[in-house]
Amino acid sequence: MTSGFLSDLPLYASGLLTTLTVSLAGIALSVGTGIVLAAALRSPLLYISLPIRLYVEFTRGAPLMLVLFLIYYGGAQFGLVLNPYVAGVVGLGLYGAGAFAEIFRAGFNAVPKGEIEAADMLGLTPGQAFRHIELPQALGLTLPPSIGQAINLVKESSVLSVITLAELTKVAGTISSITFAVVTPYLTVALLYWAIVESLSRLGFYLERRLAVKGY
Amino acid sequence: MDNSLAVVWPALLDGLVTTVAVSLSALPLGAPLALLLAAAGRGGRLLRSASAFYVSFWRGTPILVQLLIVFYFLPFLGLELEPVVAATLALALNTAAFQSEIYRAGLQAIPMGEREAARMLGFSASQTFLRIEAPQAFRIMLPALVGEMQALVKNSSLVSVIAVTDMARRAQQVAASTFRPLEAYASALVLYVAVGAVLAGIGLLIERRLAKGVGR
């Protein structure tokens, strides 16, 4: 049993690496898309904000597994053949972007208009006002929910196993099918996910404290 | 296309019954444990850390992994349960952790003074809880509980992985038999989002009813 566990270590390690890579890529894609969607949500033009609103609501109710199936298997139906990595990251990114859009929208709304006007009065260009006044405050305000959403995406990345991507959850399945030990592999990967999630939330607390001292 | 949709929808609606049954029963099944966890969080040191440990584990690991652990672990306890029962149990254990946080926050939101005032007026401890604290806490917690219900519907799609024929699994079956994954998965996604929207609507209706006669 113990020797089996040791010989499985490289498998766990590669699964962990894949989980970390796809989660990071998925989070980056979600944050980037989320910022663009947040800007669109704040648009006064209904034909811009309404479709984006629908998209955001859609991602809230849609299970990631079916989003992945749609991209991975549905895409192939009209010739869009993606490898599991790409399909997984794109799926995770599009799925996560909805929540990030809401987070950033709220963050930008929370910065008082008067500050932008004051910055304009003081001779800052709109770009400078955005970079030095609006963005730092919005980022500080949105940090706790952003960390929460990043944690969600790490956990949701386990669903990428259903499109055959060899991340942690898939690795646990592979090991249990070879060794017939079912509980140990899944408990092991659960502990690994838990460690990632705990580290992320600690990082969040640390950043929150740093930003709080600097900005306010 | 027309033919495939005619095959897809009846199958999906058939699976929808299981999806709704599993997620609707997981919520109340998890509630007693959640209340215990919330109560333990107010108790002594040992109880507090036990409750925090449970909540941290079930919130810090992916539901997919939790489902597989419960499904494979139960036979070790001598429990040979139907997949659908094991799946509901796993979802209930998961939602208990999330619900306990909702209950904790909801009860905390009631000012201490109200309990003191009720006791002064001669209410017993249980009367104070049932007539003063619980009704107010319920109104405060309702939006979060509706959100948890929506999350459960979404998460319940993962039970398909342990061979429960819910809507997600029916979508997979019909995608395979019709060679039309696009229609099957897109339709399933629409139905999941629709169920979430219906739940949100019901939540709003109850909220409005409860708000009647409350001057706030």
Side-chain angles (χ1 to χ4, degrees), chain A residues 58-63 65-66 69-70 73-74 77 95 155 158-159 161 169 182-183 186-187 190 193-194 197-198, chain B residues 53 56-57 59-62 64-65 68-69 72 76 154 157 160 168 172 180-183 185-186 189 192-193:
Chain A
F58 190 85
T59 60
R60 187 178 296 177
M65 188 173 75
L66 286 156
F69 282 155
L70 186 68
Y73 298 114
Q77 198 173 317
Y95 170 84
K155 291 193 291 170
S158 67
V159 180
S161 59
T169 309
V182 277
V183 176
Y186 288 113
L187 266 181
Y193 280 112
W194 200 5
V197 166
E198 274 299 312
Chain B
F53 182 81
S56 172
F57 178 81
R59 290 180 39 142
T61 52
L64 179 55
V65 177
L68 293 164
I69 290 177
Y72 288 125
F76 282 94
K154 196 164 143 169
S157 66
S160 59
Q172 280 172 272
R180 289 281 179 185
L182 195 65
E183 286 86 338
Y185 295 131
L189 274 169
Y192 272 108
V193 173

Side-chain angles (χ1 to χ4, degrees), chain B residues 9 13 23 27 68 82 90 94 109 130 145 176 207:
Chain B
W9 279 77
L13 291 175
S23 32
L27 192 85
L68 293 164
E82 292 278 309
N94 173 278
L130 288 174
L145 282 175
E207 240 174 275

